[in-house]
């Protein structure tokens, strides 16, 4: 039975859900599917998914950043040879280890599938880097990408459109179902906007707070609260900024939350906000929509084009124009918008973006690669 291995740096809840989707879909096929990760954890993400029984961890007891590169590579090639996949789905090409995975496939005559959510406007692009990427992409037989903007970027880099499939960035929608989570205790008494981010510059937390401060000043006692779930390098500065604006009583910072800890906040939020100035996709938007929430999403987010249906399940805004978000906050909380109808539209639309969709699209990529191999 041929084996498909799916390689991520570290398996979090999103990745486990995709692997389980593949195992469900491929159960009746001739393919065995295996999860591969470089290490059991990494500094940037404090994930603790409950079910990683089908994941082979190259370093199961160490954080990625603590492993010396030479040791990582030695063990990496050993494990790859032990698993011996016939096809290897590789998450990106920026990390040297992922490039080495591609070289391993080429050396052993195995099929390499690219998993990508890069888009052209993520960062300034130089001609020599783009030329190098175009050359690297020739080693992949097919790709699974997040959405339309991500496919367009790979096509521009020279990949054939008929070898690129959509469905990479998905979550386990059923975990966030309103029917399952509405019974959870309410974490904040007043209505509130919810944001979930790492506290890093790209997530535009200061811009979000600034927009909220202007909204709060205009709305007075009718204003909703703001909940900022997450943690990171900017936490101290964020706390100071909230104090300077005298918003300590209405802006809540519960910290980084594991998936099960986040559910009560999603269950009782009135609207979800994602204000990033740079974001390849934004899987927290998937989660919010799966929880049946209206969404306000930065147009810089990779998910905006595919997930936000303007005026139906939410609205988009330019993150460099804080007044746009302020006005949308005012609009969404003014009772002129039917939040239930908008939330239901979110819930319905996100069902198209599920782990089963990921699994079926990945198999299409594998089948396409077999044809073009």
């Amino acid at each position: 039975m041929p084996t498909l291995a799916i390689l991520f740096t570290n398996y979090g809840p999103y990745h486990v859900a995709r692997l389980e989707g593949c195992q469900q879909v491929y159960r009746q096929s001739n393919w065995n599917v295996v999860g591969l990760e470089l290490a059991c954890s990494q500094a940037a993400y404090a994930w603790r998914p409950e079910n990683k029984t089908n994941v082979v961890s190259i370093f199961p007891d160490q954080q990625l950043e603590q492993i010396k590169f030479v040791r990582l590579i030695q063990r990496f090639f050993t494990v790859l040879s032990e698993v011996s996949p016939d096809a290897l789905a590789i998450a990106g090409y920026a990390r040297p280890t992922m490039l080495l995975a591609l070289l391993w496939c080429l050396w052993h005559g195995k099929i390499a599938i690219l998993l990508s959510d890069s888009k052209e406007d993520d960062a300034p692009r130089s001609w020599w880097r783009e030329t190098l990427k175009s050359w690297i992409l020739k080693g992949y037989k097919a790709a699974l990408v997040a959405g339309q903007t991500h496919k367009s970027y790979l096509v521009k880099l020279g990949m054939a459109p008929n070898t690129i499939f959509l469905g990479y960035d998905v979550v386990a929608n059923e975990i966030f179902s309103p029917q399952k989570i509405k019974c959870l205790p309410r974490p904040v008494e007043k209505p509130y906007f919810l944001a979930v981010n790492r506290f890093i510059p790209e997530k535009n937390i200061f811009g979000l707070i600034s927009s909220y401060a202007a909204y709060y000043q205009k709305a007075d006692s009718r204003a909703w609260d703001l909940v900022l779930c997450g943690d990171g390098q900017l936490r101290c500065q964020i706390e100071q900024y909230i104090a300077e604006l005298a918003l300590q009583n209405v802006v809540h910072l519960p910290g980084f939350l594991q998936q099960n800890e986040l559910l009560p906040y999603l269950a009782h939020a009135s609207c979800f906000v994602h204000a990033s100035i740079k974001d390849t996709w934004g899987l927290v938007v998937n989660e919010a929509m799966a929880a049946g929430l209206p969404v306000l999403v930065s147009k810089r987010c990779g998910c905006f084009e595919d997930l936000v249906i303007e005026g139906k399940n939410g609205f988009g805004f330019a993150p460099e124009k804080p007044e746009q978000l302020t006005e949308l906050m005012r609009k969404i909380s003014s009772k002129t918008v039917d939040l239930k109808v908008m939330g239901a539209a979110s819930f319905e639309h996100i069902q198209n973006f599920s782990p089963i969709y990921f699994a079926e699209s990945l198999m299409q990529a594998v089948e396409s690669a077999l044809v073009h191999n």
Side-chain angles (χ1 to χ4, degrees):
M1 178 181 292
T3 295
L4 166 65
I6 305 173
L7 174 64
F8 290 110
T9 303
N10 167 235
Y11 267 71
Y14 308 135
H15 311 97
V16 170
R18 296 170 202 175
L19 179 63
E20 290 175 345
C22 288
Q23 290 166 338
Q24 181 179 342
V25 169
Y26 304 163
R27 193 170 293 142
Q28 304 301 323
S29 73
N30 293 323
W31 282 85
N32 176 43
V33 61
V34 177
L36 281 177
E37 66 176 5
L38 300 181
C40 64
S41 64
Q42 59 182 126
Y45 300 97
W47 289 317
R48 292 198 304 268
E50 296 180 358
N51 180 20
K52 292 176 73 169
T53 55
N54 294 307
V55 177
V56 177
S57 186
I58 294 168
F59 283 91
D61 302 313
Q62 283 186 264
Q63 190 177 78
L64 182 61
E65 290 77 9
Q66 298 172 344
I67 305 167
K68 291 183 178 180
F69 184 68
V70 173
R71 186 162 170 254
L72 173 62
I73 296 308
Q74 290 173 340
R75 179 63 183 156
F76 179 56
F77 284 137
T78 299
V79 172
L80 271 179
S81 296
E82 290 172 353
V83 175
S84 189
D86 299 276
L88 181 60
I90 305 169
Y93 45 73
R95 188 178 288 273
T97 321
M98 300 304 178
L99 283 177
L100 289 173
L102 171 62
L103 290 175
W104 183 90
C105 289
L106 295 174
W107 181 259
H108 291 87
K110 308 295 185 178
I111 293 169
I113 308 293
L114 174 64
L115 304 176
S116 177
D117 56 10
S118 293
K119 52 192 179 69
E120 188 174 8
D121 63 355
D122 285 337
R125 304 296 184 184
S126 59
W127 68 268
W128 66 270
R129 284 181 181 273
E130 300 304 275
T131 301
L132 178 60
K133 289 177 187 177
S134 296
W135 182 78
I136 291 171
L137 286 178
K138 295 181 186 299
Y140 298 94
K141 297 298 181 181
L144 178 64
V145 300
Q148 294 293 343
T149 57
H150 312 86
K151 179 174 181 176
S152 297
Y153 183 42
L154 289 190
V155 170
K156 186 171 183 178
L157 289 173
M159 206 163 195
N162 64 333
T163 64
I164 306 171
F165 302 85
L166 308 182
Y168 177 35
D169 280 343
V170 301
V171 304
N173 295 332
E174 69 278 1
I175 289 176
F176 308 94
S177 172
Q179 293 181 336
K180 292 184 178 180
I181 65 176
K182 282 297 183 184
C183 61
L184 296 173
R186 190 178 183 91
V188 177
E189 286 304 315
K190 291 179 63 179
Y192 57 91
F193 294 100
L194 175 65
V196 182
N197 294 290
R198 287 181 293 151
F199 289 177
I200 57 176
E202 295 96 310
K203 302 303 181 179
N204 192 30
I205 308 297
F206 294 102
L208 171 55
I209 296 170
S210 175
S211 295
Y212 175 79
Y215 155 79
Y216 182 76
Q217 187 175 26
K218 293 177 181 178
D220 297 324
S221 61
R222 297 166 296 161
W224 294 354
D225 284 8
L226 174 63
V227 176
L228 302 174
C229 296
D231 209 341
Q233 66 192 59
L234 298 177
R235 184 177 180 101
C236 290
Q237 296 97 307
I238 288 169
E239 290 175 342
Q240 182 179 352
Y241 188 50
I242 291 170
E244 289 173 358
L245 295 172
L247 295 173
Q248 303 97 313
N249 293 329
V250 291
V251 178
H252 309 268
L253 297 171
F256 174 83
L257 303 174
Q258 295 295 336
Q259 190 176 79
N260 64 316
E261 298 169 323
L262 179 61
L263 293 179
Y265 290 90
L266 286 165
H268 299 288
S270 299
C271 180
F272 188 82
V273 186
H274 199 55
S276 295
I277 55 174
K278 176 185 175 183
D279 209 323
T280 55
W281 182 260
L283 284 167
V284 288
V285 178
N286 295 58
E287 294 180 341
M289 290 174 62
L293 295 180
V295 293
L296 304 179
V297 179
S298 161
K299 293 181 179 179
R300 297 273 189 88
C301 295
C303 70
F304 173 75
E305 182 177 333
D306 293 85
L307 296 189
V308 181
I309 306 171
E310 194 78 27
K312 186 174 181 181
N313 74 321
F315 301 95
F317 60 90
E320 70 275 11
K321 297 180 178 179
E323 67 279 4
Q324 288 188 9
L325 179 53
T326 297
E327 177 57 25
L328 285 173
M329 286 179 158
R330 186 205 61 78
K331 180 176 182 177
I332 207 86
S333 64
S334 66
K335 297 185 178 179
T336 60
V337 174
D338 192 326
L339 299 178
K340 287 187 177 180
V341 170
M342 193 166 276
S346 276
F347 179 81
E348 180 181 357
H349 184 54
I350 203 62
Q351 303 313 311
N352 299 313
F353 299 81
S354 68
I356 299 300
Y357 177 44
F358 169 88
E360 291 173 345
S361 297
L362 180 55
M363 183 49 66
Q364 288 177 346
V366 171
E367 290 170 350
S368 171
L370 289 170
V371 170
H372 294 92
N373 195 18

